[in-house]
Amino acid sequence: MGAGGGAARRRRGTAAGLFGAALLVASTVLAAGGAYAQPSPSPSPGGHSTGQGEGDGQGDHDGQGDHDGGKKGGDQGKGGARPRTGDSPGGTATRRAVPPGSPAAGGSGPSAALPAPAPGAVLAAAAPGATVPTAQGLQQALAAALADHGLGDVTFAVADAADGRLLYGSGENNPAIPASTTKLATSIAALSLIPGDTRLSTKVVRGAEPGTITLVGGGDPTLTVLPADQVLVGGQPVDADTAPASLDELARQTAAVLSAAGTTSVKLDYDLSMYAGSPQHPNHDAENIALVVPLMVDEAKVDPKSREEAPARVADPAGAAAGAFAAMLKARGITVEGRAKPAAAPAAAAAAVLGRVESPTIDRLVERLLTTSDNQIAEAIARQAALAAHQPAGFEGAATAVTQELTRLGVPMAGVALNDGSGLNPGNQIPPVVLTRLLSLAASDQHPALRPVLTGLPVAGFTGTLGKRYGSGSGAADAAGLIRAKTGTLKGVNTLAGTVVDADGRLLVFAVMTRTPITASADVARAAMDRIAAQLTACGCH
């Protein structure tokens, strides 16, 4: 039966799709922490601290670097379960247990009013008995939408989420510029390599020189100077599970230890040794991305409260973070002599720790980078994947780590070329069928650690980079809430890859990749892609 099939079947299918979509949307719209990996306890609303001192904005960058509508045009793989204990090779990633019955484990409390769905709930939309669409049915349903001249040159793939089997496509094996859908590859590899409950630590230790303390960058770009009640992620307030680590809390811990020892004046340096190679992205513009260094605050935004899609970034992220830390110490009675400077050598492994704060878990960071298409977080997570794979933590090492891990997971890598973790690099190449394979891996019950890729996808018409799409007059409004997809935009390039529930309740994965003249309207191409995805929700396509 084609797209114009019986009204009764469509009504039944639509109801099934809406029910499935409600489950798919719940983790993003209702539970900020996502669906899985029960949150670790947070001693304070300002972040996740494990300090020694006591006793630890929306960034839709989908455009000229990936900021949809902007001002410029990351398991246990098939090799078996991986150990989920101990620190990462970088030495700053940690994990914690959750006390049963605590708010973080789904008990009562302000951050647990809506407990996370049970594992598997996010896939309930894939009704086991739902009929799989046919190539003929899909061709009939999508023909008109695919003929839209606003798409330019288009390649695409539609696959069954249950097993990744290709159902219909055109040019599906042809390499294309993925833009920010590159972040799907980064996220899958990172979640496969790194335990999802890992946290990135920023710490202060005794320096090598007398009277010196060292601020050690741990690769957490979300470390914030803002009070918890002023932090927004994707325009929404954070909770104990999603709140970034607080630089002020780190200063409080450090000052407490120093004051207890009678110290009122110190010299400050900072350690950036976690990363390797050049910190500057080849497409660096100080808006879509700043220098990629392991120490920064608020993704290196000049205005930490900015919700611009491509905000102004500071020229020296590490120096700015160290300067802010010095000011916070001074407010607590600890004077920093002179100006903070880079450390002459990496901090000693045995150096006494004066304070430590921790990021949200890798699971939550992956969700955040996908929902808001955050380039800075994506490059940080790519470097964590490199460290876990024993590669240098730079652009090249991260690309090697992601490529090797996806190969190990059985992803067909013919035609894939990766040069960064964010998708800013126009030299990246990924065929549409590879994007659908990545999404089907995330949906597979054999890889539950990859589930944050699905829960992190923006929801059509509701969240992240799809929040302002699928509205009235778009021709795709009926699909609002039924589609979750990662967006991607560079000059002349628009991509969309995600999940959709068809009218029979079948969960499908899709990828649409287009090339248009750089003078063409990106909004026109995006709207045309949205209508393609919307057609998948409107039929069983038999």
Side-chain angles (χ1 to χ4, degrees):
M1 185 180 297
R9 185 195 61 75
R10 183 181 302 147
R11 283 195 295 271
R12 289 194 300 272
T14 300
L18 287 170
F19 172 73
L23 291 172
L24 284 166
V25 173
S27 63
T28 295
V29 176
L30 301 179
Y36 302 104
Q38 296 287 3
S40 298
S42 176
S44 72
H48 314 275
S49 67
T50 57
Q52 307 291 323
E54 305 183 304
D56 158 28
Q58 176 158 345
D60 175 9
H61 315 293
D62 232 28
Q64 165 75 335
D66 236 358
H67 59 103
D68 286 2
K71 59 188 177 184
K72 290 184 181 284
D75 181 31
Q76 289 117 339
K78 66 181 181 181
R82 290 176 176 270
R84 301 180 72 87
T85 58
D87 289 349
S88 76
T92 61
T94 59
R95 59 187 295 273
R96 294 212 199 146
V98 181
S102 70
S108 61
S111 65
L114 292 164
V122 75
L123 299 180
T131 305
V132 180
T134 65
Q136 182 178 0
L138 288 166
Q139 182 179 25
Q140 179 182 345
L142 300 179
L146 286 168
D148 193 315
H149 292 300
L151 289 168
D153 296 327
V154 59
T155 56
F156 69 93
V158 181
D160 187 15
D163 57 12
R165 176 165 53 96
L166 180 71
L167 302 176
Y168 182 49
S170 176
E172 65 272 11
N173 293 308
N174 296 343
I177 300 174
S180 257
T181 53
T182 300
K183 293 181 174 74
L184 294 172
T186 301
S187 299
I188 291 284
L191 291 172
S192 181
L193 284 162
I194 308 166
D197 56 357
T198 301
R199 299 177 186 270
L200 308 180
S201 298
T202 305
K203 63 184 179 181
V204 178
V205 301
R206 294 281 185 188
E209 299 295 327
T212 298
I213 61 173
T214 300
L215 178 58
V216 182
D220 176 14
T222 67
L223 179 69
T224 186
V225 298
L226 296 173
D229 61 358
Q230 294 183 27
V231 177
L232 297 177
V233 174
Q236 301 299 315
V238 296
D239 58 17
D241 193 28
T242 58
S246 167
L247 188 68
D248 190 62
E249 168 63 14
L250 184 60
R252 185 192 65 77
Q253 294 176 22
T254 303
V257 173
L258 293 173
S259 296
T263 301
T264 59
S265 179
V266 294
K267 293 179 180 178
L268 174 66
D269 60 20
Y270 49 92
D271 179 0
L272 305 181
S273 63
M274 172 177 276
Y275 290 176
S278 172
Q280 183 166 308
H281 191 283
N283 295 83
H284 174 88
D285 63 0
E287 289 180 336
N288 286 289
I289 196 166
L291 295 180
V292 183
V293 291
L295 175 64
M296 64 179 62
V297 290
D298 298 296
E299 298 99 83
K301 292 183 287 189
V302 172
D303 175 5
K305 295 183 180 180
S306 174
R307 294 184 59 194
E308 292 284 332
E309 292 166 337
R313 312 274 181 163
V314 299
D316 179 9
F325 182 70
M328 292 173 176
L329 286 179
K330 183 176 181 180
R332 287 172 169 76
I334 306 296
T335 300
V336 173
E337 300 174 12
R339 191 181 181 91
K341 63 182 187 303
V353 177
L354 307 179
R356 182 196 309 264
V357 292
E358 297 182 334
S359 73
T361 64
I362 291 291
D363 281 350
R364 300 291 82 81
L365 292 176
V366 164
E367 287 178 333
R368 176 172 170 176
L369 79 86
L370 291 171
T371 301
T372 62
S373 199
D374 193 301
N375 296 321
Q376 210 74 50
I377 301 177
E379 294 296 349
I381 294 299
R383 280 152 182 73
Q384 293 301 318
L387 291 169
H390 307 289
Q391 295 289 335
F395 289 105
E396 184 176 346
T400 297
V402 171
T403 300
Q404 290 179 346
E405 188 61 14
L406 295 184
T407 300
R408 191 188 70 81
L409 289 169
V411 176
M413 298 298 284
V416 175
L418 299 176
N419 297 281
D420 68 6
S422 60
L424 272 169
N425 196 314
N428 292 346
Q429 295 279 305
I430 302 179
V433 74
V434 173
L435 293 176
T436 59
R437 177 58 177 159
L438 293 173
L439 290 161
S440 66
L441 273 176
S444 169
D445 59 7
Q446 296 180 29
H447 301 284
L450 303 183
R451 206 70 81 235
V453 169
L454 296 189
T455 56
L457 293 174
V459 180
F462 286 93
T463 64
T465 57
L466 289 182
K468 295 180 181 179
R469 290 164 63 167
Y470 293 85
S472 60
S474 67
D478 288 348
L482 299 180
I483 294 167
R484 300 190 74 137
K486 181 69 200 77
T487 55
T489 307
L490 291 170
K491 286 183 178 178
V493 173
N494 290 279
T495 60
L496 188 69
T499 65
V500 58
V501 182
D502 75 6
D504 284 343
R506 190 81 186 185
L507 186 66
L508 308 177
V509 291
F510 69 91
V512 184
M513 310 181 78
T514 73
R515 288 296 301 268
T516 60
I518 60 174
T519 56
S521 169
D523 289 338
V524 170
R526 285 194 288 261
M529 289 192 301
D530 292 347
R531 289 190 287 272
I532 293 172
Q535 284 299 310
L536 294 173
T537 72
C539 77
C541 301
H542 306 151

